């Protein structure tokens, strides 16, 4: 029983999880929907060829028209109007089930050549829904098969096992792919997921959001002095220090090497700048003990912060925040921020001896 529990339990939440899961579902739908449509069309063609006398019945004509409308709508929803499918995933599964049930009923019940279509409908439904929902609804498909084709008990049992297996497999794959979104060294998200999250946030956000790049100052000296194993330990501990200063809904990812990217959704420039300054001070005050040598390391970070508006392309956003980081690194242990209104002007960072230690444009 324990092997089904991960599907019934709530999976780990993370920023942008809903968008990421929908992205995976849509990838599958764009493969499965043409196959499902082609199978229905081919079986209808075959049935008309072998059963021409039954094809003239009124109920058959109605179901054929419904099948055609369903196939065309299904393909258009998946490939053009995906937001409708996202809003009504359960409704689309019910529509699938009702259509296949009607087709089987008018084409011979247990002797219908469309009976195998139940299998692909069950499998695609199990992958279209969340694993928990698919698992709980898996008995609906064999029940519908028995209603449509009395006497198909064995086939219905096979369909139930197929649906159950698809739901379990989907849950396992989903959790495994979540694990692959994490950087193996630091445990934070990977660069690829951060870019995906930025793309989704830019498309869907209704309020400005802010992005930061955090970079360790002189990290090469740590590796040269203590070795790369100690350097990895410093990197892990530095990431933990940064994590303590962020909210659960903030995204933290390893952008590359010792650079981290932070995404604050629904956070303006002033608030993000205050958080970045606290992060800078916290890292500067921390002492990172090393297990490989009897010593502790003190490090500092340079941070660039950029506020974006909805619709900002990630490539432009990252270019600007990278310029902010570069301005900070010219003096080290600094925070430089840039607002969206002046996104194409070069940022400036003031030194610690200057009158303004943190400069916001």
């Amino acid at each position: 029983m324990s092997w089904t529990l991960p599907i019934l339990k709530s999976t780990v939440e993370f920023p942008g999880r809903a968008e990421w899961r929908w992205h995976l579902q849509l990838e599958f739908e764009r493969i499965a929907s043409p196959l499902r449509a082609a199978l229905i069309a081919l079986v209808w063609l075959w049935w008309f060829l072998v059963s021409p006398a039954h094809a003239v019945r009124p109920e058959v004509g109605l179901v054929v028209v419904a099948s055609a409308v369903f196939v065309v709508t299904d393909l258009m929803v998946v490939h053009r109007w995906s937001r409708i499918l996202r809003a009504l995933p359960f409704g689309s599964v019910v529509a699938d089930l009702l259509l296949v049930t009607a087709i089987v009923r008018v084409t011979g019940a247990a002797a219908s050549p469309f009976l195998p279509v139940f299998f692909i409908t069950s499998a695609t439904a199990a992958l279209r829904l969340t694993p928990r929902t698919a698992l709980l609804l898996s008995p609906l498909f064999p029940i519908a098969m028995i209603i449509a084709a009395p006497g198909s008990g064995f086939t219905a049992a096979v369909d139930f096992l197929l649906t159950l297996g698809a739901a379990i497999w989907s849950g396992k794959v989903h959790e495994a792919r979540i694990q692959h979104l994490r950087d193996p060294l630091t445990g934070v998200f990977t660069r690829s997921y951060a870019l995906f999250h930025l793309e989704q946030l830019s498309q869907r956000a209704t309020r400005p959001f802010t992005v930061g790049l955090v970079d360790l100052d002189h990290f090469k000296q740590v590796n040269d002095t203590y070795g790369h194993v100690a350097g990895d330990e410093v990197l892990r501990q530095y990431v933990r220090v940064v994590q303590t200063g962020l909210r659960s809904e903030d995204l933290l990812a390893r952008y590359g090497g010792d650079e981290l990217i932070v995404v604050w959704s629904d956070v303006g420039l002033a608030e993000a700048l205050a958080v970045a300054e606290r992060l800078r001070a916290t890292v500067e005050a921390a002492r990172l003990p090393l297990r490989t040598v009897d010593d502790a390391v003190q490090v500092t970070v340079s941070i660039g912060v950029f506020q974006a508006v909805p619709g900002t392309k990630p490539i432009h956003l990252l270019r600007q925040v990278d310029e902010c980081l570069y301005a900070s690194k010219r003096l080290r242990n600094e925070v430089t921020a840039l607002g969206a209104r002046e996104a194409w002007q070069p940022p400036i960072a003031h030194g610690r001896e200057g009158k303004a230690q943190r400069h916001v444009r």
Side-chain angles (χ1 to χ4, degrees):
M1 182 63 183
S2 60
W3 54 283
T4 64
L5 289 180
I7 299 172
L8 294 176
K9 292 179 180 178
S10 298
T11 54
V12 61
E13 294 295 330
F14 54 85
R17 178 183 183 275
E19 287 76 15
W20 176 78
R21 176 165 179 80
W22 171 243
H23 172 71
L24 297 185
Q25 288 178 290
L26 198 58
E27 280 186 348
F28 172 78
E29 281 295 325
R30 284 174 174 158
I31 297 173
S33 61
L35 295 177
R36 188 168 58 239
L39 178 61
I40 292 176
L42 288 174
V43 177
W44 267 123
L45 179 62
W46 178 84
W47 190 76
F48 282 140
L49 292 175
V50 300
S51 306
H54 298 287
V56 297
R57 289 185 299 166
E59 62 270 25
V60 173
L62 290 175
V63 175
V64 170
V65 172
S67 300
V69 172
F70 176 81
V71 167
V72 172
T73 304
D74 192 33
L75 294 177
M76 293 187 70
V77 164
V78 170
H79 294 278
R80 296 187 182 181
W81 305 328
S82 58
R83 291 184 180 180
I84 298 176
L85 183 61
R86 181 179 183 178
L88 302 169
F90 182 73
S92 63
V93 169
V94 172
D96 269 353
L97 196 59
L98 293 176
L99 176 66
V100 176
T101 302
I103 292 174
V104 171
R105 287 288 294 179
V106 302
T107 56
S112 171
F114 284 91
L115 207 57
V117 178
F118 263 109
F119 294 111
I120 190 171
T121 302
S122 302
T124 55
L127 297 173
R128 180 182 298 174
L129 301 171
T130 62
R132 179 192 296 183
T133 304
L135 192 65
L136 295 176
L137 296 182
S138 56
L140 287 181
F141 301 96
I143 291 173
M145 182 182 291
I146 293 174
I147 294 174
S152 58
F154 176 77
T155 308
V158 173
D159 183 66
F160 172 71
L161 294 176
L162 174 66
T163 307
L164 193 65
I168 294 173
W169 177 82
S170 175
K172 295 286 187 180
V173 169
H174 180 61
E175 294 303 318
R177 293 190 71 167
I178 287 178
Q179 297 302 318
H180 286 118
L181 296 177
R182 299 284 184 175
D183 174 61
L185 177 63
T186 61
V188 297
F189 288 101
T190 60
R191 175 193 176 105
S192 60
Y193 180 74
L195 295 177
F196 168 80
H197 181 60
L198 280 176
E199 181 73 31
Q200 297 297 311
L201 188 61
S202 179
Q203 292 176 0
R204 301 180 184 279
T206 57
R207 298 175 55 191
F209 59 96
T210 311
V211 181
L213 273 181
V214 186
D215 186 73
L216 274 176
D217 297 327
H218 305 297
F219 183 59
K220 184 177 182 299
Q221 294 180 4
V222 176
N223 284 326
D224 292 343
T225 303
Y226 299 101
H228 289 280
V229 175
D232 288 346
E233 181 64 24
V234 169
L235 190 58
R236 281 191 289 265
Q237 294 191 50
Y238 138 72
V239 169
R240 293 192 192 103
V241 172
V242 173
Q243 280 181 311
T244 60
L246 300 176
R247 307 170 303 172
S248 59
E249 59 266 37
D250 299 331
L251 180 80
L252 179 64
R254 187 180 181 188
Y255 192 66
D258 56 317
E259 282 188 358
L260 302 177
I261 184 169
V262 183
V263 182
W264 294 281
S265 59
D266 295 328
V267 171
L269 185 61
E271 184 180 350
L273 183 61
V275 174
E277 173 59 25
R278 288 197 298 270
L279 290 178
R280 184 207 62 77
T282 301
V283 173
E284 183 181 28
R287 297 296 183 272
L288 309 180
L290 300 178
R291 291 178 296 181
T292 54
V293 295
D294 188 16
D295 202 352
V297 176
Q298 180 182 12
V299 296
T300 60
V301 293
S302 298
I303 305 175
V305 180
F306 176 71
Q307 177 182 279
V309 295
T312 305
K313 294 183 178 180
I315 186 172
H316 295 158
L317 193 159
L318 292 171
R319 183 186 304 164
Q320 294 304 302
V321 73
D322 193 57
E323 288 186 11
C324 292
L325 177 63
Y326 181 74
S328 291
K329 289 189 73 66
R330 286 202 295 262
L331 294 169
R332 309 289 176 177
N333 197 21
E334 290 292 333
V335 176
T336 300
L338 187 66
R341 292 182 180 178
E342 298 171 303
W344 301 108
Q345 298 182 23
I348 300 174
H350 288 259
R352 302 187 66 76
E353 294 83 9
K355 295 181 179 179
Q357 295 182 357
R358 304 288 173 261
H359 184 67
V360 184
R361 299 193 67 172

